[in-house]
Amino acid sequence: MATMADQPADRAVSGWAYGFAAFAGAIMLLVGIFQGLAGIAAIFDDSFFVVGPNYTYEIDTTAWGWIHLILGVILVIAGIAIYSGAVWARTIGVFLAILSAIANFFFIPYYPVWAVLIIALDIAIIWALVVYGREQAEGY
């Protein structure tokens, strides 16, 4: 069985690997911008998002705004890093997409359609970052 050390260093990267990574990076940028916009809206206007009574995970709207803004900025930075092709960027991208999906799950009562849309985009990010393996990225 060949190891990474046995592989030539100048091996071509598959077009599929580039395509999926570019897709994930672009969607991460999009989700990050969306998260940031939602965060800014919640920070500047507490009454923009309204939750019904008796929500178990009720958090102050301004706190949600800061959560979304910070997560959005980090997602944009990670989305840009995806274009470097680094494995660490893919790993962090998956982790951040999971965090984003969890945050939006708890945000569903505040803005249901938006939160579900962002969760769907997060799933697309995770799929795009993990769908190809090392063999495709190395040009097999």
Side-chain angles (χ1 to χ4, degrees):
M1 178 174 200
T3 63
M4 287 293 293
D6 298 332
Q7 303 296 325
D10 60 347
R11 180 159 261 203
V13 177
S14 164
W16 285 103
Y18 279 129
F20 286 131
F23 173 79
I27 297 299
M28 284 180 73
L29 290 170
L30 182 68
V31 169
I33 291 168
F34 284 169
Q35 294 273 37
L37 292 173
I40 290 169
I43 291 168
F44 289 122
D45 187 6
D46 280 349
S47 63
F48 186 77
F49 298 109
V50 179
V51 67
N54 301 324
Y55 179 52
T56 304
Y57 304 107
E58 187 174 347
I59 297 178
D60 180 54
T61 307
T62 304
W64 274 122
W66 283 108
I67 290 169
H68 284 289
L69 182 61
I70 292 168
L71 191 55
V73 168
I74 295 170
L75 276 164
V76 166
I77 293 168
I80 293 168
I82 290 293
Y83 288 105
S84 72
V87 174
W88 65 265
R90 284 178 48 202
T91 305
I92 289 174
V94 170
F95 177 72
L96 288 174
I98 291 169
L99 280 180
S100 175
I102 292 169
N104 279 285
F105 171 77
F106 289 116
F107 197 65
I108 287 175
Y110 293 89
Y111 216 47
V113 175
W114 181 273
V116 171
L117 172 68
I118 299 299
I119 290 170
L121 290 173
D122 288 329
I123 291 168
I125 291 167
I126 294 167
W127 173 80
L129 291 175
V130 301
V131 72
Y132 65 93
R134 179 174 283 157
E135 293 80 21
Q136 289 86 8
E138 293 173 356
Y140 283 109

